[in-house]
Amino acid sequence: MSKQLTASPFRSREERSREREEKREAVLLAAVRLFNARGYHAASLDDVAASLGISKPTIYHYLGNKEQVLVECVNRGLAMLRAAADDAMRAQGSGFDRLRAFLCRYAKINMDDFGRCVIRTSDEVLSMDSATRFRARKREIDAAVRDLIAQGIADGSIAPVDVRFASFALAGALNWPARWHDPDGPLAPEEIAERLVDVVMGGLTPRA
Amino acid sequence: MSKQLTASPFRSREERSREREEKREAVLLAAVRLFNARGYHAASLDDVAASLGISKPTIYHYLGNKEQVLVECVNRGLAMLRAAADDAMRAQGSGFDRLRAFLCRYAKINMDDFGRCVIRTSDEVLSMDSATRFRARKREIDAAVRDLIAQGIADGSIAPVDVRFASFALAGALNWPARWHDPDGPLAPEEIAERLVDVVMGGLTPRA
DNA sequence: TAATCAATATACTGATGAGTATATAAAAGA
DNA sequence: TCTTTTATATACTCATCAGTATATTGATTA
């Protein structure tokens, strides 16, 4: 397979489809940033287009409609969370350690553009169909958190807390930065994640 | 002063101004419920009016404009939080006990119509002026939480945690029900509040 | 009783914004 | 070279919704 040596204005089929994919991603990134900054309803696709120096029909060329733009953004975030959950379930070590590692990643994702969008999107803005899928995928993540807590309790690394309410509390504490964290502020996502997880894991540590 | 003995269609001045106040409150309650259910932008004042069987100009007769409706709703919630914070600061007992009592009340307020509105309203939807005031009042509540934690650490009833991050975690854990709690669901606000506070206070208990 | 005020409605204006019809130009394929 | 496809734009339509102009009715006050 010969790779092209000089930059040419004539692209191969793969190059073209990769370019298309890149443009799609650029649209999604611009959109999610505006959605996060102003809220889904207050952010218009005209604004999204303007922020990329393109026109609205171009967005429709790459994505079906406004809701689908949101759905794709949310899917990006959910995929990251899902991957983190899968890794945690496959990891070895005590339940406590695996939960801890997972929560750090979870908290950081919630400060990422697409992760924030997952948290900030409430299902009323979605069509009934999308909302159902959205809830189901979030429930999977929540199930992983509960599994990890239960496993930790079983192996003695986590105090025998109420699993359901512990997962509510953990989720709340680690979702909340999606609403207040300022990416341009002095606190780095890593630091917030670590410190928050330190505090919340304190409550799960078995008493001596 | 003679009180009226028979129901009359002729109201006294106080009765009239009380009625006016009642109507204002009814508008706010209907509005906050729709704002919470659909989001501020998606809930129109026409819908709010329809839910009360009145017309939109009537809302404008009692309240200036849509933003002011929201601001009044948020103020109702903030007033409840403020009262809870004041009581906590005046209460006696260890820092731990006072914080615990305050947090229970805080969590319950966050499941009340107006309390939910405080949590669900992000300042981008407000005018710059209102947003500034809103942030300031929320900061007061947060300061009370930090004070209580610090006092608990000082009197030894709370473990020497990072005050700032502990308050972030507590707020997140107890704000989150404002986004998922279903008033018609099986879990009563009281129970959610108690159990959540149990879990989160575990992390603040000094180790033996 | 005349003048005013309070409470309410109907019917409008004007802006915004989602989504579309249509044109164009360039590239790809036949 | 002719045709089709892809990427993009301009300029619309149509719906929604905040906010207003104006009318009406009944009670209050002078």
Side-chain angles (χ1 to χ4, degrees):
Chain A
M1 293 292 124
S2 65
K3 217 171 171 188
Q4 264 180 248
L5 296 178
T6 52
S8 147
F10 302 92
R11 278 128 239 234
S12 71
R13 176 164 303 176
E14 300 87 56
E15 272 176 321
R16 268 183 287 127
S17 96
R18 190 182 45 77
E19 258 190 17
R20 194 187 158 85
E21 210 34 59
E22 263 173 29
K23 289 181 185 173
R24 225 178 107 99
E25 288 302 318
V27 169
L28 291 177
L29 186 59
V32 81
R33 286 190 172 148
L34 270 177
F35 291 165
N36 287 338
R38 301 194 199 159
Y40 177 70
H41 286 297
S44 77
L45 289 187
D46 279 310
D47 291 338
V48 174
S51 82
L52 288 164
I54 62 175
S55 70
K56 182 168 53 174
T58 300
I59 295 182
Y60 281 85
H61 180 69
Y62 289 100
L63 293 147
N65 59 25
K66 195 182 182 189
E67 195 197 348
Q68 205 183 321
V69 174
L70 179 61
V71 167
E72 289 282 331
C73 290
V74 156
N75 282 343
R76 295 285 182 292
L78 285 167
M80 286 191 277
L81 291 170
R82 180 76 246 186
D86 288 345
D87 287 354
M89 298 310 274
R90 269 197 303 271
Q92 61 208 32
S94 69
F96 185 95
D97 290 341
R98 283 154 63 217
L99 178 62
R100 185 199 172 78
F102 170 66
L103 291 181
C104 269
R105 216 166 136 188
Y106 179 96
K108 266 182 287 187
I109 291 168
N110 284 163
M111 286 175 270
D112 165 88
D113 290 317
F114 293 108
R116 283 165 88 95
C117 186
V118 173
I119 303 301
R120 300 175 74 117
T121 298
S122 41
D123 26 352
E124 316 102 48
V125 316
L126 295 170
S127 69
M128 235 172 42
D129 216 53
S130 300
T132 305
R133 272 194 294 275
F134 183 41
R135 269 194 296 268
R137 293 189 67 184
K138 285 193 292 185
R139 230 177 297 121
E140 287 171 19
I141 312 296
D142 188 48
V145 174
R146 295 187 197 196
D147 271 7
L148 289 169
I149 298 174
Q151 288 172 27
I153 294 175
D155 72 22
S157 59
I158 289 177
V161 293
D162 178 315
V163 174
R164 194 158 58 133
F165 281 88
S167 81
F168 286 160
L170 292 173
L174 303 179
N175 288 347
W176 203 239
R179 305 202 73 85
W180 58 258
H181 175 249
D182 170 13
D184 304 321
L187 290 163
E190 274 76 18
E191 182 167 0
I192 296 172
E194 296 274 344
R195 302 247 231 148
L196 234 33
V197 170
D198 273 348
V199 174
V200 298
M201 293 299 288
L204 303 183
T205 309
R207 305 287 131 151
Chain B
M1 290 289 126
S2 65
K3 215 169 169 190
Q4 266 182 243
L5 296 178
T6 53
S8 148
F10 302 91
R11 279 127 236 237
S12 71
R13 176 164 304 181
E14 300 86 56
E15 272 175 321
R16 268 183 287 128
S17 96
R18 190 183 44 79
E19 259 189 17
R20 194 187 159 86
E21 210 33 61
E22 264 172 28
K23 289 181 185 173
R24 225 178 107 99
E25 289 302 319
V27 169
L28 291 176
L29 187 59
V32 80
R33 287 190 172 150
L34 270 177
F35 291 165
N36 286 339
R38 302 193 198 157
Y40 177 70
H41 287 296
S44 76
L45 288 187
D46 279 311
D47 292 337
V48 174
S51 82
L52 288 164
I54 62 174
S55 70
K56 183 169 53 175
T58 300
I59 295 183
Y60 282 84
H61 179 70
Y62 288 99
L63 293 147
N65 59 25
K66 194 181 182 187
E67 195 196 348
Q68 205 184 320
V69 174
L70 179 61
V71 166
E72 288 283 333
C73 290
V74 155
N75 282 344
R76 295 286 182 292
L78 285 167
M80 287 190 277
L81 292 170
R82 180 77 247 184
D86 288 346
D87 288 352
M89 297 310 275
R90 270 197 303 271
Q92 62 208 31
S94 68
F96 185 95
D97 290 341
R98 283 154 63 216
L99 177 62
R100 185 199 171 79
F102 170 66
L103 291 180
C104 269
R105 217 167 135 187
Y106 179 96
K108 266 182 288 190
I109 292 168
N110 285 164
M111 286 175 271
D112 165 88
D113 289 317
F114 293 109
R116 285 165 86 95
C117 186
V118 173
I119 303 300
R120 299 174 74 117
T121 298
S122 41
D123 25 351
E124 315 102 49
V125 316
L126 295 170
S127 70
M128 237 174 38
D129 216 53
S130 300
T132 305
R133 271 193 294 275
F134 183 41
R135 269 194 295 268
R137 292 189 67 184
K138 285 193 293 185
R139 229 176 298 121
E140 287 172 19
I141 313 296
D142 188 48
V145 174
R146 296 187 196 196
D147 270 6
L148 289 169
I149 298 175
Q151 288 171 27
I153 293 175
D155 71 24
S157 59
I158 288 177
V161 293
D162 177 316
V163 174
R164 192 157 60 133
F165 281 88
S167 82
F168 285 160
L170 291 174
L174 303 178
N175 288 347
W176 203 239
R179 305 203 72 85
W180 58 259
H181 175 248
D182 170 13
D184 305 321
L187 291 163
E190 274 76 18
E191 182 168 358
I192 295 173
E194 296 276 342
R195 303 248 232 146
L196 234 32
V197 170
D198 274 348
V199 173
V200 300
M201 293 298 288
L204 303 183
T205 310
R207 304 288 131 150

